[in-house]
Amino acid sequence: MVEVNNLTMRYGSRVLFENINLKLDVGKRYGLIGANGAGKSTFMKILSKELQPTSGNVSVQNGLRVGTLSQNQFAFEDFTLKDAVMYGNKRLYDAIKEKEELYINGDFEDEKVNDRLAKLEIICAEEDPTYEVDVNIEKTLTSLGFGVDTHEDLMSSLSGGDKFKILLAQVLYYKPEVLFLDEPTNNLDLEAIAWLEDQLKRHEGTIVVISHDRHFLNSICTNILDLDFKKIREFSGNYNDWYIAANLVQKQQELERNKKLKEKEELEAFVRRFSANASKAKQATSRQKQLEKLNIEDLQTSTRRDPSIVFKLKRDIGNEILELENISKSFDKKVLDSMSFRVEKGDKIALIGPNGIGKTTLLSIIVGDLQSDNGDVKWGATIEPSYFPQNSTDLIDGDEPLYEWLQSFGEKKDIDEVRKCLGRMLFSGEEQKKSIKSISGGEKHRMMLSKMMLQKGNFLLLDEPDNHLDLEAIVALGEGLYNFGGNVICATHDRELIDAFANRIIELKEDGSFVDFRGSYEEYVQNFN
């Protein structure tokens, strides 16, 4: 069990949270949620003892092992995949490596060497009593899509997404009773997320997880910790249970707040009108006392703000939209193999497949940023595409304020429309004057969505737009794509986002082939799994 006592965290005059008291029980899996900037990651670092709070403390029951997901993908570049996973149990890793070294270079005539080997053997037996370390690591790596022939490869040979899978395997291999996971689904493909869900649901200890993947939170969480107003409220159930309960509470608070505000206005009006009238002075004094008792501040609604994503078309779509004919592309291996398909009116396509399979390559070929080895991309004469590239955070840069950067993409450059687009993405007032280079990755993704809204293209192509977005923004994006009157191709691993908009699924396969299915993702899974 984990106990949090009177926990407060301040940065100068800014208070992230204060006087937090919690008991995190064995057998419960907690989803930690809250608006961007509320302090979720800071709270998680305090739980895992990576960061000291301003005041208060966190205590873990004696004897429990604590595991924290590492965010440093480059910490094990010279390790083999197998060794990087084993390092999760550092005591076992160190013992095995020292034992191997002694067997190779040790002097067996030396009694100290033999004594040391005996001690190391005891450590190995304590940490791995069934002597199945190699088998267990091989199973884990294979489940994550790493073939047996790659287990001795160096971590430096992997992509960022695959390195992150190894870090997940590392912390889970340790089998900690208490597990802290900050954004474990980032960079994971659908198969890896399903594997992780299965692992966590079988965990018998305590888990605290931060994620922007609603499907993941719904699948694994038994409880929700909602960080809002510098406090944490605990709810029983998964994310959907919290969403219903929190919105009900918020609605009740809004009704009560409106009622009190109206009463406050009436009392203030009475006091102003009669406070100078001697015959009414007593009544005015009485109303003033009533006014002072009204505590409007106690009836707080959530600090979360929901963006409003509305994609409009400035031009109707004709009958010819998009056709791909025999598109092939190879790098070190064949990525796309004679791929042909036609997009029809109303098609909203979710492009899925493992990391590195070729989704970004396909989208880059479609929009003309990359040349295919052979084949043709044929756009209809009426189509005006708008593209959200995966590397948006790298592309958005400059010293100009947000509104000037966005204004350069509008044909009429109407400042009112520019400001409205920014406002829908929660950039309001002075925030619109911030320089582009000063904003975060999540804010840059919201800027790219603002740009797409301003451009009013009739065919939207998006490459993992949900990266860096919070839950509220992802929900708004799903609604925006669902209500959009044009066509969509969106590459994403977020199943709730796919469910929100997609009526056609295209899955890329390892051999360069693909599956093209008309229907929802749920129907696709039922037909092909």
Side-chain angles (χ1 to χ4, degrees), residues 14 121 145 156 160 187 192 495:
R14 185 189 176 204
E121 204 63 53
S156 58
N187 301 309
R495 289 156 295 178

PDB file of all heavy atoms in Angstrom, residues 14 121 145 156 160 187 192 495:
ATOM      1  N   ARG A  14       3.672  29.767  -7.472  1.00  0.00           N
ATOM      2  CA  ARG A  14       2.675  28.910  -8.110  1.00  0.00           C
ATOM      3  C   ARG A  14       2.501  27.611  -7.314  1.00  0.00           C
ATOM      4  O   ARG A  14       3.470  26.899  -7.037  1.00  0.00           O
ATOM      5  CB  ARG A  14       3.096  28.570  -9.539  1.00  0.00           C
ATOM      6  CG  ARG A  14       2.042  27.773 -10.287  1.00  0.00           C
ATOM      7  CD  ARG A  14       2.567  27.272 -11.616  1.00  0.00           C
ATOM      8  NE  ARG A  14       1.588  26.438 -12.284  1.00  0.00           N
ATOM      9  CZ  ARG A  14       1.875  25.523 -13.174  1.00  0.00           C
ATOM     10  NH1 ARG A  14       3.135  25.308 -13.530  1.00  0.00           N
ATOM     11  NH2 ARG A  14       0.934  24.799 -13.741  1.00  0.00           N
ATOM     12  N   GLU A 121      25.647 -17.164  -6.980  1.00  0.00           N
ATOM     13  CA  GLU A 121      24.673 -18.211  -7.287  1.00  0.00           C
ATOM     14  C   GLU A 121      23.468 -18.118  -6.360  1.00  0.00           C
ATOM     15  O   GLU A 121      22.319 -18.334  -6.774  1.00  0.00           O
ATOM     16  CB  GLU A 121      25.335 -19.586  -7.145  1.00  0.00           C
ATOM     17  CG  GLU A 121      24.670 -20.694  -7.949  1.00  0.00           C
ATOM     18  CD  GLU A 121      24.731 -20.438  -9.435  1.00  0.00           C
ATOM     19  OE1 GLU A 121      25.818 -20.201  -9.974  1.00  0.00           O
ATOM     20  OE2 GLU A 121      23.644 -20.447 -10.053  1.00  0.00           O
ATOM     21  N   GLY A 145       6.822  -8.264 -30.386  1.00  0.00           N
ATOM     22  CA  GLY A 145       7.120  -8.200 -31.815  1.00  0.00           C
ATOM     23  C   GLY A 145       8.587  -8.269 -32.172  1.00  0.00           C
ATOM     24  O   GLY A 145       8.963  -8.049 -33.328  1.00  0.00           O
ATOM     25  N   SER A 156      20.777   0.548 -29.579  1.00  0.00           N
ATOM     26  CA  SER A 156      21.041   1.670 -30.472  1.00  0.00           C
ATOM     27  C   SER A 156      20.515   1.436 -31.883  1.00  0.00           C
ATOM     28  O   SER A 156      20.360   2.382 -32.650  1.00  0.00           O
ATOM     29  CB  SER A 156      22.543   1.961 -30.534  1.00  0.00           C
ATOM     30  OG  SER A 156      23.254   0.808 -30.974  1.00  0.00           O
ATOM     31  N   GLY A 160      12.784   4.945 -31.887  1.00  0.00           N
ATOM     32  CA  GLY A 160      12.333   5.449 -30.590  1.00  0.00           C
ATOM     33  C   GLY A 160      11.162   4.662 -30.025  1.00  0.00           C
ATOM     34  O   GLY A 160      11.120   4.349 -28.830  1.00  0.00           O
ATOM     35  N   ASN A 187       3.924   6.097 -28.270  1.00  0.00           N
ATOM     36  CA  ASN A 187       4.780   5.416 -29.250  1.00  0.00           C
ATOM     37  C   ASN A 187       4.480   3.932 -29.407  1.00  0.00           C
ATOM     38  O   ASN A 187       5.217   3.231 -30.103  1.00  0.00           O
ATOM     39  CB  ASN A 187       6.279   5.578 -28.895  1.00  0.00           C
ATOM     40  CG  ASN A 187       6.709   7.024 -28.826  1.00  0.00           C
ATOM     41  OD1 ASN A 187       6.454   7.785 -29.744  1.00  0.00           O
ATOM     42  ND2 ASN A 187       7.343   7.409 -27.741  1.00  0.00           N
ATOM     43  N   ALA A 192       0.927  -3.674 -29.329  1.00  0.00           N
ATOM     44  CA  ALA A 192       1.698  -3.489 -28.099  1.00  0.00           C
ATOM     45  C   ALA A 192       0.815  -2.954 -26.970  1.00  0.00           C
ATOM     46  O   ALA A 192       0.968  -3.349 -25.809  1.00  0.00           O
ATOM     47  CB  ALA A 192       2.867  -2.537 -28.346  1.00  0.00           C
ATOM     48  N   ARG A 495      -7.602   4.034 -30.168  1.00  0.00           N
ATOM     49  CA  ARG A 495      -8.795   3.296 -30.593  1.00  0.00           C
ATOM     50  C   ARG A 495     -10.074   4.084 -30.404  1.00  0.00           C
ATOM     51  O   ARG A 495     -11.008   3.959 -31.199  1.00  0.00           O
ATOM     52  CB  ARG A 495      -8.859   1.958 -29.833  1.00  0.00           C
ATOM     53  CG  ARG A 495      -7.796   0.971 -30.296  1.00  0.00           C
ATOM     54  CD  ARG A 495      -7.477  -0.039 -29.233  1.00  0.00           C
ATOM     55  NE  ARG A 495      -6.860   0.617 -28.082  1.00  0.00           N
ATOM     56  CZ  ARG A 495      -6.506  -0.021 -26.978  1.00  0.00           C
ATOM     57  NH1 ARG A 495      -6.704  -1.315 -26.874  1.00  0.00           N
ATOM     58  NH2 ARG A 495      -5.942   0.625 -25.973  1.00  0.00           N
TER      59      ARG A 495
END
